Amino acid sequence: MKKDNIQIASENGKVILLDYEYKDQGTDLPVVIFCHGLKGFKDWGAWDLMGSAFAKANFLFIKFNFSHNGGTPEQPIDFPDLEAFGNNNYSLELRDLQSVLDWLETSDLPIDRNEINLIGHSRAGGITTISASKDDRIKRLVTLAGVADYEERFPKDDELEKWEQDGVYYVKNGRTHQDMPFNYQLYTDFKQNEKELHILDAASRLSIPHLIVHGTQDPTVNVNDAYRLRDRSRHAQLSLIRGADHVFGASHPWEQDLMPKDLRQVVQCTINFLRSN
């Protein structure tokens, strides 16, 4: 296996941390780019094992940290840079993904440029859907526990007014015990770019194969979001993982040698989808 870690310049002096893994066969390989969700990072839980599984299946697997996910080059796991986290927004994540795609085009990796596929987990299910709806470099889309609508996940009524007045609200990270800041700019950026950031509208514009994977016991993003995406995406396949949670049985840190059963099912389902479409 060939592996490496690199950095790509982003905005506000931040960088995108990226790694890739592939089995060198002397031929160009189809690409899978994985995008993490909210309060996530590329090295979370069993994502490394997932990447190795795709590499063994003859894909060139890429995963990266969004530039403002709260990590740093020196400490990419967990969230030492809460200021950056608070200044993250959906538009910035879309631009980060475009930067990764642009970098890939100019890289010397053995890639088949007609076989670039995206996987987005949770919040990034929306980011990847929006990107795939307007970037013809992307040939297939897989959304894992993906959200169907960003606006409905914002605070409402009095809570929204308080957010505007305070400029920030906090969510406790149960694992790290940090108070994660969400600056009001997240909402204003969404409202300013609402048309572009409407996930279901983007799904309706997709002209490529789209696999929607969701756990039936997801407590974070209800499985109804998967049905809503399926109803709007004309080329969608829906795969429900019975009894699975939001992260398909994984946790952080993941210290076992094998992926959890539900995530293994997700990976195999995704590989079958990419090969058959």
Side-chain angles (χ1 to χ4, degrees):
M1 290 291 181
K2 290 202 170 185
K3 300 182 181 182
D4 202 2
N5 292 271
I6 68 163
Q7 297 181 18
I8 300 172
S10 182
E11 302 172 24
N12 306 317
K14 305 301 180 185
V15 297
I16 299 165
L17 301 179
L18 178 150
D19 65 59
Y20 59 80
E21 182 176 359
Y22 66 95
K23 186 165 55 176
D24 191 3
Q25 303 178 90
T27 59
D28 291 340
L29 299 171
V31 179
V32 172
I33 302 174
F34 174 77
C35 305
H36 68 76
L38 178 64
K39 295 187 285 186
F41 43 94
K42 68 182 181 64
D43 300 310
W44 184 91
W47 296 151
D48 277 340
L49 292 174
M50 177 177 72
S52 294
F54 278 99
K56 289 173 184 174
N58 298 322
F59 292 89
L60 192 154
F61 187 86
I62 293 169
K63 53 185 170 66
F64 68 94
N65 284 352
F66 286 108
S67 61
H68 287 61
N69 78 322
T72 64
E74 299 75 26
Q75 192 176 341
I77 294 176
D78 299 332
F79 309 102
D81 192 351
L82 290 179
E83 180 181 0
F85 183 92
N87 288 318
N88 197 14
N89 58 55
Y90 306 120
S91 298
L92 181 50
E93 291 192 347
L94 283 168
R95 294 194 295 273
D96 277 349
L97 179 51
Q98 290 302 301
S99 294
V100 171
L101 290 163
D102 293 344
W103 162 81
L104 183 62
E105 278 203 312
T106 61
S107 77
D108 58 0
L109 291 174
I111 64 167
D112 183 342
R113 287 174 170 77
N114 294 314
E115 292 288 332
I116 297 176
N117 310 287
L118 293 183
I119 301 178
H121 177 247
S122 190
R123 165 165 154 161
I127 297 299
T128 50
T129 299
I130 294 164
S131 284
S133 73
K134 60 183 182 178
D135 192 327
D136 60 10
R137 292 176 291 186
I138 300 163
K139 302 307 179 186
R140 299 169 200 83
L141 170 68
V142 180
T143 50
L144 308 180
V147 300
D149 189 308
Y150 285 137
E151 184 167 30
E152 67 188 22
R153 307 187 77 82
F154 284 122
K156 302 290 190 296
D157 303 325
D158 291 346
E159 290 185 349
L160 182 59
E161 288 185 18
K162 188 176 189 309
W163 188 18
E164 181 178 14
Q165 291 167 4
D166 295 345
V168 62
Y169 78 88
Y170 296 90
V171 173
K172 178 72 74 175
N173 186 317
R175 182 177 60 83
T176 67
H177 307 294
Q178 293 166 291
D179 291 318
M180 311 292 286
F182 291 81
N183 293 347
Y184 189 67
Q185 64 82 30
L186 175 65
Y187 184 72
T188 56
D189 175 80
F190 173 80
K191 296 305 287 185
Q192 289 165 3
N193 300 283
E194 188 170 0
K195 185 174 181 180
E196 180 185 23
L197 295 174
H198 197 286
I199 299 167
L200 291 173
D201 283 354
S204 71
R205 295 192 299 270
L206 288 172
S207 59
I208 58 174
H210 178 194
L211 177 64
I212 301 164
V213 183
H214 217 108
T216 60
Q217 298 299 316
D218 188 335
T220 305
V221 179
N222 191 279
V223 69
N224 286 334
D225 279 32
Y227 290 111
R228 293 160 68 193
L229 286 165
R230 190 270 314 271
D231 290 344
R232 294 294 292 274
S233 185
R234 289 171 295 158
H235 305 280
Q237 300 177 34
L238 176 61
S239 178
L240 298 180
I241 310 299
R242 189 163 301 280
D245 62 13
H246 188 58
V247 287
F248 305 101
S251 58
H252 187 84
W254 187 259
E255 297 175 343
Q256 301 179 42
D257 294 331
L258 296 175
M259 289 179 286
K261 173 180 64 70
D262 290 340
L263 185 57
R264 290 201 304 272
Q265 185 176 345
V266 169
V267 170
Q268 190 58 60
C269 179
T270 302
I271 290 171
N272 292 344
F273 165 79
L274 295 176
R275 285 176 170 169
S276 64
N277 286 277

Short mmCIF file of all heavy atoms in Angstrom, two decimals, residues 117 130 180 184 193 207 229 274:
data_model
loop_
_atom_site.label_atom_id
_atom_site.label_comp_id
_atom_site.label_asym_id
_atom_site.label_seq_id
_atom_site.Cartn_x
_atom_site.Cartn_y
_atom_site.Cartn_z
N ASN A 117 -15.35 9.85 -7.20
CA ASN A 117 -16.57 9.60 -6.44
C ASN A 117 -16.47 10.27 -5.08
O ASN A 117 -15.39 10.35 -4.49
CB ASN A 117 -16.75 8.09 -6.24
CG ASN A 117 -16.63 7.32 -7.53
OD1 ASN A 117 -17.52 7.36 -8.38
ND2 ASN A 117 -15.51 6.60 -7.72
N ILE A 130 -24.48 18.94 -2.76
CA ILE A 130 -24.44 20.24 -3.44
C ILE A 130 -23.29 20.28 -4.45
O ILE A 130 -23.46 20.71 -5.60
CB ILE A 130 -24.32 21.38 -2.41
CG1 ILE A 130 -25.59 21.45 -1.55
CG2 ILE A 130 -24.07 22.72 -3.09
CD1 ILE A 130 -25.43 22.26 -0.27
N MET A 180 -18.48 23.61 22.35
CA MET A 180 -18.18 23.91 20.94
C MET A 180 -18.97 25.14 20.51
O MET A 180 -20.20 25.15 20.59
CB MET A 180 -18.54 22.72 20.06
CG MET A 180 -18.00 21.37 20.55
SD MET A 180 -16.22 21.23 20.44
CE MET A 180 -16.00 21.04 18.68
N TYR A 184 -22.84 33.11 15.08
CA TYR A 184 -24.05 33.47 14.32
C TYR A 184 -23.76 33.59 12.83
O TYR A 184 -24.68 33.47 12.01
CB TYR A 184 -24.65 34.76 14.88
CG TYR A 184 -26.01 35.09 14.31
CD1 TYR A 184 -27.12 34.30 14.61
CD2 TYR A 184 -26.19 36.20 13.49
CE1 TYR A 184 -28.37 34.60 14.11
CE2 TYR A 184 -27.44 36.51 12.98
CZ TYR A 184 -28.53 35.71 13.28
OH TYR A 184 -29.77 36.01 12.78
N ASN A 193 -26.69 32.58 1.21
CA ASN A 193 -26.43 31.60 0.14
C ASN A 193 -27.48 30.49 0.14
O ASN A 193 -27.20 29.35 -0.26
CB ASN A 193 -25.04 30.99 0.32
CG ASN A 193 -23.94 32.03 0.25
OD1 ASN A 193 -23.57 32.50 -0.82
ND2 ASN A 193 -23.43 32.43 1.41
N SER A 207 -27.53 14.28 -11.74
CA SER A 207 -27.67 13.46 -12.95
C SER A 207 -26.75 12.25 -12.90
O SER A 207 -26.50 11.62 -13.93
CB SER A 207 -27.36 14.31 -14.19
OG SER A 207 -26.04 14.83 -14.12
N LEU A 229 -34.41 12.42 0.74
CA LEU A 229 -33.39 12.50 -0.30
C LEU A 229 -33.70 11.55 -1.46
O LEU A 229 -33.56 11.91 -2.63
CB LEU A 229 -32.01 12.18 0.29
CG LEU A 229 -31.39 13.26 1.17
CD1 LEU A 229 -30.22 12.67 1.97
CD2 LEU A 229 -30.91 14.44 0.34
N LEU A 274 -20.40 1.34 -6.36
CA LEU A 274 -19.43 2.02 -7.24
C LEU A 274 -19.03 1.13 -8.39
O LEU A 274 -18.82 1.61 -9.53
CB LEU A 274 -18.19 2.41 -6.42
CG LEU A 274 -18.41 3.45 -5.31
CD1 LEU A 274 -17.13 3.67 -4.52
CD2 LEU A 274 -18.93 4.77 -5.87
#
